[in-house]
Amino acid sequence: MNPYVLTILLSSLGLGTVLTFASSHWLLAWMGLEINTLAITPIMAQQHHPRAIEATTKYFLTQATAAAMILFASTTNAWLMGEWEIHQLSHPLATTTVMLALALKLGLAPVHFWLPEVLQGLELTTGLILSTWQKLAPFALMIQVTPTINSPLLVAIGLLSTLVGGWGGLNQTQLRKILAYSSIAHLGWMVLILQFAPSLTLLSLSLYIIMTSSAFLTLKTNNALTINTLATSWTKSPTLAALAALVLLSLGGLPPLSGFMPKWLILQELTKQGLPLSATLAAMTALLSLYFYLRLCYALTLTIYPNTLTATAPWRLNFTMITLPLSIITILALGLLPLTPAVTAMLTC
């Protein structure tokens, strides 16, 4: 892709997200979401591969449907209640429709079916943008409308997403689909605690972006798309393979890694709010996700694939790649747990 065109598209991507962040009017927020969708569509289709085109088409139709639902809900609220402000969303039909539309945009269960299929058709860099940056604008809207949404609905969507995210990734061999189900599970944890402690949701979102970026950049550096290809990573770069295994365990939420912090604080908050059953179910569904993370770690560090691979397996890494961002993000993904007391103090202020 032409660098000037790519610069314009990335700038539009940032503009759409910032516009949604800064808006208090539903039409401006909808406009930001549309700019976001239209900017990432050419980036997704730049490979000119049938799978990329299919993934782009599915993504565009899904996001257009969600945007139409948001526009319908906001117009309905303005017609019935006379308010266009995001904070003044009060009609039950409008609030439920907006919640379902934002769940569709994020890929939350039960409207998650598009996310694994779309992510499977993209290259890793575009998949990273889709899994991290594209979640920010819908989450900003969801945080603003949360006080008007029914609490059991949010808890049900959160628990169902953690269950689907763990269950769906069990029998996958494609790494991009595994990361898609991982994204669904992590988003479920964020929605689960959204109404009780929005600051914990922001903390979980920040750590999710750090850990997911580290995982995607590691796979990009190793040029690995399947579990079988991942098994050859140890011969190419033992240090990176060991760090990648730790990043996967951090995504699974094992102590003493950074991913344990949000799960710990979320379970603690759910217990304080008098929801021990929800906390128990969330912890149980986390074990499902942990299983496929451990499966990836086993393939990455404890096996050497014995058969001839169809994929190209270079003997050495391409050292012209920029590895500084990967190094910084990996350190953050592994070593933030000791800062938990400071984070807790900041959240309670």
Side-chain angles (χ1 to χ4, degrees):
M1 182 179 285
N2 190 309
Y4 298 109
V5 175
L6 185 61
T7 303
I8 291 174
L9 292 176
L10 292 177
S11 302
S12 301
L13 203 61
L15 173 65
T17 303
V18 171
L19 185 61
T20 305
F21 280 175
S23 60
S24 59
H25 195 281
W26 273 114
L27 281 182
L28 280 178
W30 172 80
M31 195 182 305
L33 293 174
E34 286 298 289
I35 292 173
N36 222 336
T37 302
L38 294 176
I40 199 174
T41 303
I43 300 176
M44 295 169 68
Q46 64 179 330
Q47 286 181 304
H48 301 294
H49 191 277
R51 286 185 181 175
I53 301 300
E54 179 187 352
T56 307
T57 306
K58 288 178 179 177
Y59 181 77
F60 178 78
L61 292 175
T62 305
Q63 299 300 303
T65 303
M69 290 174 66
I70 290 174
L71 192 59
F72 167 74
S74 57
T75 308
T76 303
N77 191 71
W79 183 24
L80 296 176
M81 311 301 293
E83 285 290 346
W84 278 102
E85 297 291 316
I86 295 176
H87 294 284
Q88 300 296 328
L89 193 68
S90 53
H91 195 272
L93 174 63
T95 55
T96 307
T97 307
V98 163
M99 182 60 204
L100 289 176
L102 293 175
L104 182 61
K105 271 198 167 292
L106 288 169
L108 289 166
V111 284
H112 66 282
F113 298 100
W114 63 271
L115 183 56
E117 301 299 326
V118 167
L119 208 57
Q120 175 60 27
L122 303 178
E123 62 175 5
L124 288 170
T125 308
T126 314
L128 171 61
I129 297 174
L130 185 66
S131 300
T132 54
W133 183 262
Q134 291 297 93
K135 308 293 185 189
L136 297 179
F139 245 110
L141 290 177
M142 189 174 283
I143 289 174
Q144 293 182 70
V145 301
T146 294
T148 63
I149 295 176
N150 193 10
S151 178
L153 176 64
L154 280 175
V155 173
I157 289 177
L159 286 176
L160 186 60
S161 297
T162 57
L163 177 63
V164 168
W167 198 271
L170 291 180
N171 63 340
Q172 301 295 333
T173 58
Q174 300 289 330
L175 297 179
R176 286 168 291 184
K177 279 194 175 182
I178 290 177
L179 288 173
Y181 282 109
S182 167
S183 173
I184 294 169
H186 279 90
L187 292 173
W189 280 87
M190 298 174 211
V191 172
L192 188 59
I193 200 65
L194 183 58
Q195 200 156 36
F196 307 111
S199 54
L200 274 184
T201 298
L202 293 178
L203 172 66
S204 302
L205 181 61
S206 304
L207 285 174
Y208 159 76
I209 289 175
I210 291 171
M211 294 184 293
T212 304
S213 301
S214 180
F216 268 100
L217 291 176
T218 303
L219 297 180
K220 175 80 172 175
T221 307
N222 282 331
N223 196 21
L225 297 177
T226 64
I227 294 181
N228 289 342
T229 316
L230 196 66
T232 64
S233 300
W234 188 264
T235 57
K236 290 187 285 184
S237 177
T239 306
L240 186 60
L243 290 174
L246 291 175
V247 169
L248 291 171
L249 292 178
S250 182
L251 274 169
L254 281 186
L257 304 171
S258 300
F260 179 63
M261 186 203 303
K263 286 185 169 59
W264 175 21
L265 295 176
I266 287 173
L267 292 177
Q268 185 180 16
E269 185 64 29
L270 285 174
T271 308
K272 287 180 181 178
Q273 295 291 337
L275 296 170
L277 182 59
S278 299
T280 304
L281 290 175
M284 296 286 285
T285 55
L287 295 177
L288 294 172
S289 301
L290 184 60
Y291 173 80
F292 61 76
Y293 292 128
L294 288 173
R295 183 179 171 210
L296 292 182
C297 291
Y298 177 78
L300 188 63
T301 58
L302 299 176
T303 62
I304 298 177
Y305 198 68
N307 299 329
T308 303
L309 290 175
T310 56
T312 304
W315 287 103
R316 287 180 172 80
L317 290 175
N318 184 8
F319 286 104
T320 59
M321 296 179 65
I322 301 174
T323 55
L324 181 61
L326 174 60
S327 306
I328 296 172
I329 292 175
T330 302
I331 291 171
L332 292 176
L334 298 181
L336 291 181
L337 187 63
L339 297 179
T340 304
V343 172
T344 308
M346 285 190 293
L347 293 178
T348 54
C349 288

